[in-house]
Amino acid sequence: MTPLERPRPPERPQPPEQARLTAALRELRQRTGLSLAALAQHTTYSKSSWERYLNGKTLPPRRAVEDLCRLAREPAGRCLALWEIAESQWSGRAAGAPAAGTSSGRIADTAAGASSGTPATPSPGTSSDAAAGVPPPASAPPRKARWFGRKGGVALAVLVSVCAVAVGSLTAALVLLPRRDAPPRSSLSAPPPATGPRCRAATCEGRNPMQLGCALGLVTLASYRTATGARMELRYHDGCRAGWARMWHTRIGDRLAVTAGGPTRSATVRDGLDAASYVYTPMTAARPGTVLRACFRPADGGGTECFTGRVRPAPAHTPPTAG
């Protein structure tokens, strides 16, 4: 384990902040198409470290998140926002607000006592003279004012900082938190549209749609639910002139294959990380009118289930008429 890793006590359940980060990292890893060993070769972190990061056993270093975003060609901003929230909860910084509030309450009591001319009610942590009810000497009010000016200013600054962190974390969580009733869809945005498709038709054959700009502006041709509860979709990108299939809610060993009348492209659920996220087949060339066929073979040896989807021509653009 590297010095920057922060292991989670085994008895503590995975907090939701960590769970969202873990899901995002799994999706990125799926997008790269790299195994744990390949991730270790492309980064400074070992295979066992990546296994802990992707299973939520350890909070990864910020650099590991940046490296995975780079390998997936994903802008790092959103994942780093998730990491900031998870790290704040993990390190306990998010739990600092109550202590700050208590300190603020003591300062307010002292200030109220000074302004009203009546001694404040003693509380734990006050001086022994105040606790014993001994009135301060005549020079005490200026000293209290100086104490409040110094200590109160520091405490107020701490309170403002804690509130800013809490509000920022809550805002980011509300923006990033997926719906509970939604399927395990990607928690990440697709590659930026400025890159555009980087292959077309035959040049996309057998390649990863996530890495070649074919995951933005696509069409879902058909959906299917298997007898085991796995879900499948046939997808098509007109700019890439290619289609593929994906599956989720799967089990280790499940296999999905897709064809458009030519080569058959397939993908297998290799491990628990795959089973907890989307698994995509490579692309196969297609065009309007093509029928894509996907077949699912469960790991338990049950019957193969297939479904089809036809690529429809893109609707023709009709310019508006005058008047």
Side-chain angles (χ1 to χ4, degrees), residues 146-165:
R146 290 195 302 271
W147 179 88
F148 178 72
R150 293 194 303 271
K151 300 296 181 66
V154 173
L156 182 60
V158 171
L159 180 59
V160 170
S161 299
V162 170
C163 289
V165 171

Side-chain angles (χ1 to χ4, degrees), residues 73-323:
R73 299 184 180 181
E74 171 74 21
R78 192 172 188 185
C79 274
L80 289 180
L82 285 170
W83 182 88
E84 290 285 353
I85 296 172
E87 196 278 335
S88 176
Q89 191 280 335
W90 195 291
S91 63
R93 288 190 292 113
T102 302
S103 179
S104 174
R106 290 175 184 171
I107 294 169
D109 290 342
T110 304
S115 62
S116 64
T118 59
T121 302
S123 58
T126 57
S127 67
S128 59
D129 288 345
V134 179
S139 59
R143 182 170 59 84
K144 281 189 175 182
R146 290 195 302 271
W147 179 88
F148 178 72
R150 293 194 303 271
K151 300 296 181 66
V154 173
L156 182 60
V158 171
L159 180 59
V160 170
S161 299
V162 170
C163 289
V165 171
V167 171
S169 299
L170 178 60
T171 302
L174 291 175
V175 172
L176 298 172
L177 180 64
R179 290 176 51 198
R180 286 184 178 271
D181 58 348
R185 59 179 176 82
S186 170
S187 59
L188 304 172
S189 59
T195 58
R198 296 194 294 276
C199 68
R200 185 173 174 84
T203 59
C204 293
E205 190 70 52
R207 304 179 73 180
N208 189 328
M210 301 299 148
Q211 296 178 346
L212 295 173
C214 299
L216 184 68
L218 52 80
V219 175
T220 298
L221 303 178
S223 301
Y224 186 85
R225 182 186 181 93
T226 71
T228 64
R231 302 297 300 272
M232 297 184 291
E233 288 180 341
L234 280 169
R235 320 198 92 190
Y236 173 77
H237 192 283
D238 191 60
C240 294
R241 287 297 171 98
W244 65 95
R246 70 174 181 175
M247 58 180 169
W248 69 97
H249 292 172
T250 52
R251 303 170 184 173
I252 298 174
D254 287 349
R255 184 176 183 273
L256 177 63
V258 64
T259 183
T264 298
R265 305 299 176 185
S266 62
T268 302
V269 180
R270 299 169 296 179
D271 50 35
L273 299 179
D274 283 350
S277 57
Y278 285 126
V279 173
Y280 303 83
T281 69
M283 292 184 285
T284 187
R287 62 180 183 273
T290 299
V291 175
L292 291 169
R293 176 182 173 87
C295 292
F296 175 84
R297 188 178 68 191
D300 59 10
T304 299
E305 300 179 55
C306 300
F307 71 112
T308 61
R310 180 182 294 274
V311 180
R312 300 183 181 278
H317 173 68
T318 303
T321 58

